[in-house]
Structures are given as C-alpha cells and as structure tokens.
Amino acid sequence: MSILIKNGTIITAIDEFVGDIFVEGETIRAVGENLKVEADETIEAEGKYVLPGGIDQHVHFSFNYRGEKVRGFETSNAALVGGTTTLIEFVNQEEGKGMIETIDNYNKESVESIAMVDYCFHGVAGEANEQLFAEIPKMAEYGVPTMKLFMAYKGAPYHCDDAAIFRALQASKDAGVTIMVHAENADIIDILQKQLVAEGKVEPYYHAVSRPVYAEVEATQRAIYLAATAGAPLYVVHVSCQEAMEAIREANNKGLPIFGETCAHYLVLDESDLAKPNFEGAKYVCSPPLRTQRHRDVLWNAVKNNWLNAVSSDHCGFDFKKQKHMGIKNFADIPNGTPSLENRFDILWTYGVEAGKISRSKFVELFSTNPAKINGLDNKGHIGIGYDADIVIFDPDKKGIITAEGSLQGVDYSPYEGMEKIGTVEKVYLRGNLTVKDGKFIGEKGQGRFIKGKPFGLCYK
Ligand code: URP
Ligand code: ZN
Ligand code: ZN
C-alpha cells in the first residue's frame, strides 16, 4: 500500500515548506515539492500542517497507589487522537523480580495485544541494590535504555537514597543507559506534610505548600553533582520551577550532559488550581506540584531556548470520583498525577505556538524530535526519507474546547476542562496505517508495536 500526501505545509524541527510525502508500506520513501510518483491513495493536505507523530516520553499506564490502578494501555488510543504515535511507559520493578523480567512479563501479558500506539518502556527502580545495578547494562541490549529513580517519597519501597543514585549512575554510563530522576527532597516534604496535617491544613492546596520550590531545587542540584561525580549523563523528569531549570541549564552550559523536560500542565496551570473549592483542587495534585505564573513564564522561555529539551504529559489516569477522593481528609493521601496524554498537542500548540511563545518547528522539536533522540528511537520523530510513516495532518482552523466528556483517556475529569484549543488533529498515520480519521480513532487493539530504544540517547547534542 502506498500513499501520497500532497500540498501540505510540512513542519519539521529544522524547517517548514509546502510539499508532498510519499509513503510505501510503513516507511516514508520521498519528501519534496510536486513529487511525480504513482500511489494507491492520494490525500490532499492543502491548508493543513503535516508533522511527525508525537513522542510522549513520560506516561504512566501501570502506576498504582495503595492498590488503586491508573487507566492502562486499553486507553492508549487517546495518544493517537492527540497526535502522539509513540509513548514511553514507566514500569515499576516488581518485588522479588528483576527489572527486565518485570518489563518483559508486563509487555507480554498486558501490553502487546492491547497497545494501539507504538511504545517503549522506562524501568523504574524498585529495590535499588547490587542485583539491579548489575542489570542496568543489560537494559540497553534489551531495548530499554532508560531508568528512573525516585529521590522523593520517603518511606516508599522505591525511594532511593544518594548511594543508590550514585551507584546507578556509575553502572549506567558505559552502557549508555540514561538515569532519570524524580528530583524532590523526600525529608523536607515528609516533615512539612506531617506539620501541615498536625495543624489541620489538609486541603489539596497544602500539597503545594508541602513541596516547596527549594525541595525540588536541592534534589535537582544534588542529582547533578552525583552525575558529575560519576561522570554520567542525567535526565531530570517533570521540572516544574525556574530554579531547578536554572541548575540544569548551568550544568549544561558547563558542558555536562545534564538534560531535562517539563510537562504540559506546568506550562498552563498553577497553584491557584489547587485552591479550587469542593475538593476540586485534588484534580491538580501532581508532583512536583503546580507552581506560580512566574515559573510558567520561565518554563516557556526555557523550552523555547532548549534549556529544557522536551514537553511530556506525565499522564496518570486516576479518576476524581473515587481515587482522588482517597485524600478527602488529608492531601497527603491523594494519588499523585493528572491525565494529559490526549491534550499535550492542544496545550503546546494553542498556548505555545498560537500564543507566539514558540515557533511551529520548536513545537515539533519538543513534541516529537527531541524525545525520539533522547530515547534512541532512531526511526521516529521526523518527516524524512527512511523514517517510520508516523504522520499527523493538523487542521489549524478548526477550534474546540477541551473536555473530559468523550475523551478516550477513560478518566472522569480533565485538568484542562473548558480551555480553548485552536486547531484539530484530523488524521494520524501510524507506520503508514490510518488510525485517526476526522479526529476519530479508527484503528484496532494490538496495532501498536514495541520499539526498542538505542543506548546513548543523551549524547545527541
Ligand atoms: O505526580 C506525578 N508526577 N505522578 C506520577 C508519578 C511520577 O512521579 O512521575
Ligand atoms: Zn516522578
Ligand atoms: Zn511521572
């Protein structure tokens, strides 16, 4: 099967031009003006933007909080209607099992036959011990060249101390495995949480008070020093504030391979959302917490200038009615995370590109090209010859409103409820197969494929 997409405005991370794309099977075979080729199907894309499918490198489909599970891969078609064709899912190491064994079982039992989007995994360290450090180099061969360690969440089995992080960094560097950290100071947070609760300050807003900016900055700076000492690269996930971003930028300016991402919600929401009445604030409980307008402005500037390298969703599908209500009496019991997979495109385009904060090419870089490079997904993230035909056709004129109703995320709320979106994802091709038509999912379960990541992704600069 071959397809010719004609006369669209093709946007990549490096340029923008009106042209055609010729796809044969799963692969882009030609890109240029007025291509003279015979195709089984011709798609007219005049007046539309044609971009590479998004890569969302921060998704939780198997996270569980005290036995309560998030929505899983059965909702992965939400990625496609939101213009994301590949996602990377965090897999928590199971007790008594190796990291690769955990990922392999999970893939075979719960993902392979269900995934509707292409996917890779990040390991999440459970018990960080010598057995795990010995396994880190093998992760690169297995095709999962990344692992997250939690500096936050004191008392949780997956909380890692500095020794664990330092050992993981040492074990990772020669194999090209990227260590990722959730950087917040667990002790500061633990003390503040207990003090606030003792004072009767239990509403969702106090989640932000218990996780101050400097708790994030201190842990970010510490992780940078640990990485620099180990001589290893480091990736800081979900950066929420100016000072943590500055620590990363400063390290990077010194030539250290230290990189980071922010997430859609930190760019458009803030702590005033956490103060919404009737427990509505619980919908916005994520960690690090939402900050203030100052940080939002700085983060937009940071992604524009490559001081942060990607914008992820940190998608976490806990519902409001039951699961978020676990914390009705105490903010510290609210499951962390917000659902955002379907709306990353809308947020970055409407409030970034349309608002004049980033260019269209920068959008592609943050949404697709950089996450592909960082995670070693060589055939993804670009419209070019030989790349997978993961292609989004976007109508920039069709406006809408973001709402949870009818969303494929399967969650009973959206943190962006009622926000305007400019433009609509019209068609999405996943490796040459049309999976979204007129904004609706038309694919099938199991069409997604495990894509192996290559090591040394962070050395792309
Ligand atoms: O609040 C968040 N970010 N929840 C998901 C787990 C994590 O820390 O990434
Ligand atoms: Zn995290
Ligand atoms: Zn996360």
Side-chain angles (χ1 to χ4, degrees):
M1 171 79 180
S2 58
I3 308 160
L4 182 63
I5 301 171
K6 280 197 76 65
N7 303 318
T9 301
I10 299 166
I11 310 171
T12 74
I14 42 178
D15 54 11
E16 177 174 328
F17 54 95
V18 174
D20 307 340
I21 302 170
F22 178 61
V23 173
E24 213 172 20
E26 299 193 339
T27 309
I28 296 171
R29 292 289 177 214
V31 182
E33 282 174 34
N34 283 316
L35 293 180
K36 302 279 178 261
V37 282
E38 289 290 315
D40 298 325
E41 196 182 353
T42 299
I43 305 291
E44 179 54 55
E46 196 182 340
K48 310 277 164 67
Y49 292 122
V50 185
L51 321 100
I55 320 280
D56 192 341
Q57 62 179 13
H58 194 147
V59 172
H60 298 278
F61 272 155
S62 56
F63 196 66
N64 106 51
Y65 178 72
R66 299 183 189 165
E68 285 293 327
K69 290 187 180 145
V70 290
R71 306 298 171 273
F73 264 94
E74 73 283 359
T75 62
S76 55
N77 49 355
L80 293 168
V81 298
T84 290
T85 46
T86 305
L87 60 80
I88 310 186
E89 141 81 335
F90 284 90
V91 185
N92 286 60
Q93 185 187 8
E94 280 181 20
E95 214 184 315
K97 288 201 181 124
M99 191 70 257
I100 294 173
E101 185 189 1
T102 304
I103 294 174
D104 209 47
N105 289 345
Y106 172 54
N107 189 21
K108 289 190 179 124
E109 287 167 18
S110 315
V111 181
E112 232 169 33
S113 59
I114 296 169
M116 290 168 266
V117 64
D118 281 358
Y119 59 93
C120 188
F121 301 107
H122 304 294
V124 180
E127 280 162 73
N129 53 26
E130 287 306 319
Q131 221 170 327
L132 180 69
F133 306 141
E135 222 189 338
I136 287 176
K138 296 182 196 141
M139 291 173 65
E141 291 155 40
Y142 179 74
V144 175
T146 45
M147 188 162 76
K148 177 178 176 181
L149 284 86
F150 278 96
M151 300 170 85
Y153 303 116
K154 191 177 167 79
Y158 46 81
H159 166 74
C160 292
D161 61 15
D162 292 352
I165 290 164
F166 187 63
R167 287 289 293 114
L169 286 160
Q170 284 183 324
S172 69
K173 65 173 184 178
D174 290 337
V177 171
T178 296
I179 295 299
M180 304 176 144
V181 286
H182 176 136
E184 286 184 295
N185 182 307
D187 286 310
I188 294 178
I189 293 165
D190 184 56
I191 292 168
L192 291 178
Q193 276 183 346
K194 286 176 180 150
Q195 288 173 346
L196 287 162
V197 173
E199 289 166 28
K201 294 173 174 164
V202 292
E203 292 81 19
Y205 175 74
Y206 292 103
H207 172 74
V209 182
S210 74
R211 308 182 90 98
V213 161
Y214 285 117
E216 181 180 347
V217 180
E218 185 281 326
T220 305
Q221 190 63 75
R222 183 160 34 103
I224 291 169
Y225 289 144
L226 291 169
T229 308
L234 175 77
Y235 192 78
V236 185
V237 294
H238 49 44
V239 175
S240 75
C241 62
Q242 174 177 355
E243 291 81 353
M245 178 281 291
E246 286 170 348
I248 294 164
R249 182 181 64 185
E250 199 180 306
N252 201 268
N253 284 344
K254 284 182 187 150
L256 294 170
I258 311 288
F259 302 91
E261 65 174 15
T262 190
C263 303
H265 40 279
Y266 298 121
L267 294 167
V268 293
L269 303 174
D270 57 47
E271 62 177 31
S272 67
D273 292 295
L274 278 161
K276 285 185 177 161
N278 303 323
F279 197 59
E280 287 281 307
K283 294 176 177 174
Y284 304 91
V285 167
C286 59
S287 294
L290 299 175
R291 305 293 186 189
T292 57
Q293 183 71 45
R294 162 171 80 92
H295 297 282
R296 281 167 50 170
D297 293 344
V298 167
L299 290 175
W300 275 117
N301 200 33
V303 293
K304 179 181 168 187
N305 286 297
N306 272 356
W307 300 333
L308 293 174
N309 307 88
V311 177
S312 305
S313 70
D314 198 358
H315 176 79
C316 215
F318 286 117
D319 69 31
F320 178 61
K321 211 170 167 185
K322 180 170 173 247
Q323 294 171 318
K324 287 279 183 183
H325 273 76
M326 289 166 79
I328 184 82
K329 292 196 178 123
N330 178 352
F331 68 84
D333 294 330
I334 300 170
N336 281 206
T338 56
S340 196
L341 179 62
E342 200 171 313
N343 305 114
R344 193 173 61 112
F345 196 122
D346 305 326
I347 297 301
L348 206 46
W349 188 274
T350 303
Y351 300 93
V353 175
E354 291 288 346
K357 292 192 165 87
I358 55 170
S359 68
R360 288 188 283 269
S361 280
K362 183 57 69 180
F363 170 94
V364 170
E365 196 180 341
L366 296 165
F367 187 73
S368 179
T369 312
N370 277 356
K373 288 178 181 171
I374 290 165
N375 295 284
L377 303 174
D378 286 359
N379 295 331
K380 304 283 190 190
H382 183 59
I383 302 270
I385 295 167
Y387 280 79
D388 282 358
D390 298 337
I391 298 169
V392 174
I393 302 184
F394 180 73
D395 181 345
D397 298 321
K398 213 168 166 187
K399 293 185 180 169
I401 298 291
I402 301 177
T403 174
E405 214 182 304
S407 152
L408 297 179
Q409 292 179 157
V411 182
D412 61 355
Y413 79 96
S414 166
Y416 311 114
E417 186 70 35
M419 285 174 69
E420 189 189 15
K421 57 174 188 162
I422 301 173
T424 294
V425 170
E426 189 181 275
K427 286 191 178 69
V428 178
Y429 292 88
L430 176 66
R431 283 177 281 100
N433 296 304
L434 187 65
T435 63
V436 173
K437 189 179 170 193
D438 299 326
K440 303 265 179 295
F441 175 68
I442 58 160
E444 54 194 40
K445 276 192 175 164
Q447 69 181 12
R449 193 179 286 166
F450 173 42
I451 308 291
K452 291 187 172 194
K454 296 220 178 99
F456 296 102
L458 275 197
C459 300
Y460 73 89
K461 262 194 153 182

